Structures are given as C-alpha cells and as structure tokens.
Amino acid sequence: MARSRYAPTPSGYLHAGNLANFERVRRWMDELHGEVLLRIDDMDGPRARPDYMERIFVDLEQAGLTWGLGPRTPEEHLANYSQRLRLGEYKQALLDWGGSELLYLCSCSRKDKVCSCRDNRLSKAELPVALEVLEAGASQRKYALKIKVEDSIEVVWKDKEMGLVCLDLSKELGDFVIWRKDGIPAYQWVSLLEDSWQSITHIVRGEDLLTSTAAQLHLSKLCGLEFRQVQFWHHELLCDEQGRKLSKSVQSS
Ligand SMILES: [Zn+2]
C-alpha cells in the first residue's frame, strides 16, 4: 500500500507553503488509495517550541488535511512519537552500519576553507569511541561527524514533476553532517531512518530539498536501508510578496 507523510518541523508556525506541500501529499495518496502518516520532526530541540507543535494539529484540521497514522494530539506526540525518545535507536543504527569507512570527526567551522579531517576516517571499530568523544564535546560544540562524498557521485531518480533528475552530489553538496556538533543526529540521518522504518513509499518535497533527497538516496545505498524504491515529487516553492521562498525558513518534509 502506498504511504506518504506530512513531516512538519515545530520551529515556526506552518505557512501556506507547508500546507501546499501537505495538500499534494493528501492528493497523491487519495489518487493511489494510500495512507498518510503525520510525523513531526522535532529532533532539533532548541528550535522546537511546544506552541508551534500544538498549532500543527490545529492548522492541519482547519485546512481539512487528514491523516490515518501517527499522533492525534500534541500529548500523544510527546508521549509516544517524539524523535527525542528515539535518540538511542538512531545511534544504534549508525553503529550497526559502521559507516563504510567514510565517516570522520570534524571540528572545523564553516569559515575554515580547507578541512583535512576527511583524511582521518573511522573504521567500524573506532566509531563507538568517536561518538563518545563527540557527545562529550557536545556542550562546547566541538566535533561533528561527517561523511565523505567521493568525487563524481551521481544520484539519479525519476521525479513525478521534474522527470529524470541527475545530481552530482560531490559538486552540489559535498561532505555532509550525520551527527551534529550539539550531539544530536542530523536531519539527513533521522529523516532517512524514519522514512525507511515507517515504510514510506512516496515523498513530496519542495525543490529546495533536492540535494537532501540525493544525499539520502546515496546514504541508503551505502548503509543498505530500504529507501531507493521511494517515489519522489519535488515541487516549486511558494513565494511571499517580496519574492522570498516560503519553505526556506521552515523546513518541511
Ligand atoms: Zn574538518
């Protein structure tokens, strides 16, 4: 059975761009007689505010956007579905995979133009200790765990709206973060795991997330997660009166 998701982030109120995204999700699943899951991406604790989270339920209801799977209320979300409850599982999945000798600790800031940390990549046996080092330094934001993207990694998929998409991940994104300096797993890792574990078959995203899709497809191939059969629909973003893209500030899905 087809399954898609609304994946709002409670770091701001939902806007027209988020709702337009969720409407596509609903429409697609209606066409395919599929089901919709609500997944609130609240891993980013400091930015996830309770009032934003509560408003998600109100806004979805007011927009007539229904879902059959996932929490029905904010309380239910916090008690059973919050991603903060699953930190251990995200970590265990990383340890089980082992990183294919592509992961490395990096303490550089964005201002550092040259980063040679990628030359010191971790074996599977070294990964548990590296994660401990990262977690110990999380309060001072010392280390992030990154993945090396080899040169000329081309990721290709067939998109519902954009047709055949071909993206050179090393050029478009380069090495990216798997576990953040503040000690929590990065969006790319959490989103991939959740989509895989929740058997998501259809994903609707704004075109600002094309590189994320490519990163996650690449990751799934490396770590053997069920994700490559997912069908994608990337769509244009809505703009406000100043022409700014609405979905940039609040990442959804
Ligand atoms: Zn570095």
Side-chain angles (χ1 to χ4, degrees):
M1 190 188 212
R3 180 182 288 179
S4 189
R5 76 292 196 285
Y6 309 139
T9 309
S11 55
Y13 293 121
L14 296 184
H15 53 61
N18 299 127
L19 294 173
N21 175 275
F22 301 159
E23 275 158 16
R24 286 177 173 89
V25 171
R26 186 67 267 174
R27 199 163 10 115
W28 206 5
M29 288 306 97
D30 286 346
E31 280 168 23
L32 300 173
H33 306 290
E35 52 194 358
V36 176
L37 167 94
L38 171 63
R39 183 177 83 217
I40 299 175
D41 283 341
D42 65 348
M43 177 48 70
D44 197 352
R47 291 195 307 147
R49 280 182 22 194
D51 52 334
Y52 292 148
M53 205 266 289
E54 285 166 23
R55 262 292 282 281
I56 287 169
F57 291 85
V58 177
D59 289 347
L60 288 175
E61 196 176 327
Q62 281 180 353
L65 289 161
T66 56
W67 68 99
L69 301 165
R72 310 307 310 175
T73 62
E75 294 73 26
E76 210 185 324
H77 168 75
L78 289 174
N80 300 321
Y81 293 89
S82 173
Q83 294 179 339
R84 311 289 294 188
L85 302 170
R86 298 167 69 135
L87 266 169
E89 290 170 60
Y90 304 134
K91 187 174 166 183
Q92 193 56 50
L94 189 62
L95 294 172
D96 289 346
W97 165 39
S100 309
E101 308 217 339
L102 289 169
L103 300 177
Y104 61 92
L105 286 175
C106 174
S107 57
C108 305
S109 73
R110 281 182 203 182
K111 279 177 267 163
D112 297 320
K113 290 221 169 84
V114 183
C115 162
S116 56
C117 307
R118 74 198 306 244
D119 297 334
N120 296 313
R121 294 190 302 284
L122 302 157
S123 67
K124 184 170 183 173
E126 290 169 323
L127 191 55
V129 178
L131 272 174
E132 274 171 34
V133 170
L134 187 156
E135 281 167 350
S139 55
Q140 299 104 43
R141 297 178 169 245
K142 276 193 175 160
Y143 298 101
L145 188 72
K146 286 188 176 176
I147 184 163
K148 179 186 179 187
V149 176
E150 311 272 3
D151 289 343
S152 307
I153 295 281
E154 295 229 314
V155 185
V156 181
W157 72 91
K158 203 164 160 256
D159 195 270
K160 178 174 163 67
E161 189 166 318
M162 306 181 81
L164 201 62
V165 179
C166 180
L167 207 140
D168 185 329
L169 195 59
S170 46
K171 280 204 189 113
E172 299 288 335
L173 186 66
D175 296 2
F176 58 93
V177 175
I178 297 288
W179 212 275
R180 296 173 12 172
K181 282 188 175 177
D182 54 3
I184 63 171
Y187 164 75
Q188 307 293 10
W189 184 239
V190 173
S191 185
L192 170 63
L193 288 178
E194 291 291 347
D195 285 328
S196 175
W197 290 343
Q198 294 168 340
S199 306
I200 297 298
T201 59
H202 292 70
I203 294 179
V204 183
R205 286 177 163 160
E207 60 187 4
D208 56 330
L209 291 177
L210 279 168
T211 47
S212 285
T213 295
Q216 289 164 22
L217 281 166
H218 177 59
L219 255 183
S220 72
K221 194 172 165 189
L222 290 170
C223 61
L225 277 168
E226 203 61 52
F227 185 68
R228 275 167 293 166
Q229 304 308 318
V230 171
Q231 294 187 47
F232 291 95
W233 179 0
H234 290 82
H235 56 81
E236 280 188 7
L237 301 175
L238 289 179
C239 294
D240 65 13
E241 285 110 43
Q242 283 82 41
R244 287 178 306 216
K245 307 256 162 151
L246 278 176
S247 295
K248 270 283 182 199
S249 55
V250 182
Q251 188 172 48
S252 73
S253 38

